[in-house]
Amino acid sequence: MFWKKTGKFWKPGLRETGSKKLSGLPQMSCLLLGALCLSGLWACRGAGEKRAEEECCLLYGNRGYVIAEESNQENPSGAEQAEEFCRKVQEGEHGGMTLAVLSQDAASEGKAFTKYECRTQGGKVNVRERYFAWMGQSLGKWEERSLVEYEADFWEYTEGYLFFGRSLMPGYDGPSYCRALRLEALEDQALFWNRAYILPTGYGGNNLFLENWDGEDYGEMNFYDLFDAWYPCVYGKPLPYTADENCNIETVYRIPAKEFEAVIQAYLVVDREVLRENAGYFPEDHTYEYRPRGLYGCWQTDIFPEVTDGRENEDGTLTLTVRAVDPGERKAAVFTHETVVRPLEGGGFQYVSNRVLSMEEPADPSWYRERRTQD
């Protein structure tokens, strides 16, 4: 049983039990699965023919496309053409490029792509942007969902990343946005390590990769944020401990120690005594006090991780060098960190330590917010 307190009063409730624990986080994060997991059809790289590339190119009769994947979890195809186009932009020459960015569309069997027809002259880039979604096997065709033409307000190629887009005042012809595409190929092993060990937690809603910590000192790590991130993967269902619909009412839970500790210890090497000392543990009823992030404690970030290097250690651990790509700031490495993980049998793993190598002062400090406490 858990207890929920709304305002000054505790309300008893029932806790669902018996959920099957997963042996490890899946290759893609449970939280990011819908956005990042691509079927074999949609993979830019794969054995034999690249079906996605073939469909894009044969459909429009052009095999000269640059093919990239929206989440940058696969290496691009035709990157040399994109780099040559970027050179022409920088030197003010005349040139053109067609770029197809594979993505997902929940309403079209998960298959979609955006086609960018780019032309440059005198250092300016004009873009004709067309979005297509797959209509399904029954119709067997692509449907054009949108078309927009604009002059790119910025076109930057730096540290292997292409950043381009438009900056609009709020309310004028749609929102501003920045497309961030990696043109520089990474080792397949690095891409796998990123998908398997770093993306499952990522940078949203936690500070696991923002702090220096190890098994002896966990620094300012927030265990409650990790509980939020890992609960769905451990118990196979969404986190049930949510904030009250009325943002003016504070909701506080008492979570059984066994349930809370199972989530944290599944992916973090931490002693129970250390965990209880650093989180709000109540020995009288063996529970942890838990305050969900409400309206004022939530935020969004489009910063995402990329493993650029790694090595296998003699003790069976992996040391991964990771950079944080920030599309909003148009930076390929707004900060870097070195994370040690220990792969486990059955596909699971645990985080062993993290060390921040470099970090720039973020332009928007709210991209990570401290969790509210009773104080």
Side-chain angles (χ1 to χ4, degrees):
M1 177 174 286
F2 68 82
W3 293 264
K4 174 181 177 180
K5 186 174 74 171
T6 303
K8 298 181 179 179
F9 303 97
W10 290 98
K11 296 181 181 181
L14 297 177
R15 177 174 64 91
E16 184 178 350
T17 59
S19 296
K20 183 179 179 182
K21 178 179 177 181
L22 303 180
S23 61
L25 286 171
Q27 183 174 354
M28 294 287 185
S29 167
C30 292
L31 301 178
L32 297 176
L33 188 60
L36 297 179
C37 183
L38 299 175
S39 67
L41 171 68
W42 246 175
C44 290
R45 293 288 186 213
E49 293 293 323
K50 302 173 189 174
R51 181 89 175 270
E53 183 177 346
E54 290 293 314
E55 288 194 349
C56 285
C57 296
L58 289 178
L59 181 63
Y60 297 101
N62 189 332
R63 291 181 176 272
Y65 287 6
V66 178
I67 308 293
E69 189 264 318
E70 185 178 47
S71 64
N72 295 294
Q73 295 309 305
E74 299 287 346
N75 281 325
S77 174
E80 299 82 3
Q81 300 175 54
E83 292 173 348
E84 174 63 15
F85 181 80
C86 292
R87 183 194 64 79
K88 292 180 178 180
V89 173
Q90 184 176 7
E91 297 181 5
E93 298 180 9
H94 175 78
M97 173 185 69
T98 300
L99 169 65
V101 179
L102 309 183
S103 59
Q104 286 194 324
D105 188 310
S108 61
E109 298 184 359
K111 295 187 293 183
F113 70 93
T114 304
K115 181 181 178 183
Y116 298 93
E117 299 170 350
C118 306
R119 299 292 180 268
T120 182
Q121 187 172 6
K124 297 181 179 180
V125 179
N126 292 306
V127 180
R128 190 167 187 255
E129 178 181 323
R130 305 166 68 191
Y131 178 74
F132 296 86
W134 178 244
M135 296 299 292
Q137 293 298 333
S138 59
L139 296 178
K141 65 178 182 178
W142 297 91
E143 180 185 55
E144 183 171 352
R145 297 282 179 85
S146 67
L147 168 63
V148 61
E149 297 179 311
Y150 56 89
E151 180 181 309
D153 291 311
F154 54 89
W155 185 281
E156 302 175 12
Y157 181 48
T158 177
E159 298 183 73
Y161 257 88
L162 171 62
F163 300 97
F164 71 93
R166 50 181 180 164
S167 302
L168 300 175
M169 295 179 62
Y172 286 82
D173 298 325
S176 303
Y177 79 96
C178 174
R179 173 68 77 185
L181 296 175
R182 177 172 49 79
L183 300 181
E184 182 181 62
L186 295 176
E187 295 292 335
D188 290 341
Q189 185 66 71
L191 292 171
F192 169 77
W193 283 336
N194 192 59
R195 293 192 299 262
Y197 305 126
I198 306 300
L199 271 178
T201 302
Y203 303 128
N206 71 91
N207 63 352
L208 181 71
F209 303 124
L210 306 180
E211 300 288 336
N212 294 322
W213 62 269
D214 55 30
E216 301 296 327
D217 182 4
Y218 290 91
E220 300 298 322
M221 182 189 299
N222 192 303
F223 293 107
Y224 290 107
D225 286 341
L226 298 178
F227 180 78
D228 291 350
W230 296 338
Y231 183 97
C233 296
V234 173
Y235 290 105
K237 60 181 181 180
L239 181 72
Y241 308 112
T242 58
D244 196 277
E245 294 180 358
N246 186 342
C247 61
N248 294 317
I249 297 178
E250 182 184 28
T251 302
V252 181
Y253 294 91
R254 288 284 186 89
I255 300 178
K258 184 177 181 180
E259 180 180 356
F260 185 86
E261 292 166 359
V263 172
I264 303 301
Q265 292 180 324
Y267 304 109
L268 194 65
V269 183
V270 55
D271 292 335
R272 178 182 301 173
E273 291 73 17
V274 174
L275 186 58
R276 293 180 175 182
E277 181 180 349
N278 287 272
Y281 177 71
F282 290 85
E284 60 270 18
D285 58 3
H286 304 290
T287 62
Y288 285 85
E289 186 175 76
Y290 174 83
R291 285 178 167 79
R293 286 185 178 271
L295 176 64
Y296 302 108
C298 296
W299 75 96
Q300 293 182 340
T301 179
D302 56 0
I303 299 176
F304 60 90
E306 246 181 19
V307 173
T308 58
D309 195 11
R311 66 176 184 274
E312 299 180 2
N313 303 314
E314 293 182 358
D315 61 358
T317 62
L318 299 171
T319 300
L320 307 178
T321 302
V322 190
R323 66 179 177 184
V325 183
D326 188 347
E329 294 295 317
R330 308 203 287 270
K331 294 180 179 179
V334 68
F335 72 93
T336 60
H337 56 98
E338 186 179 79
T339 303
V340 178
V341 300
R342 184 184 302 278
L344 304 176
E345 294 184 2
F349 71 94
Q350 289 181 315
Y351 294 106
V352 178
S353 67
N354 186 74
R355 181 167 63 95
V356 178
L357 302 177
S358 65
M359 179 174 291
E360 299 181 13
E361 187 68 25
D364 182 6
S366 66
W367 77 286
Y368 175 75
R369 297 180 183 177
E370 294 292 339
R371 201 180 189 99
R372 293 182 65 180
T373 64
Q374 183 175 4
D375 295 336

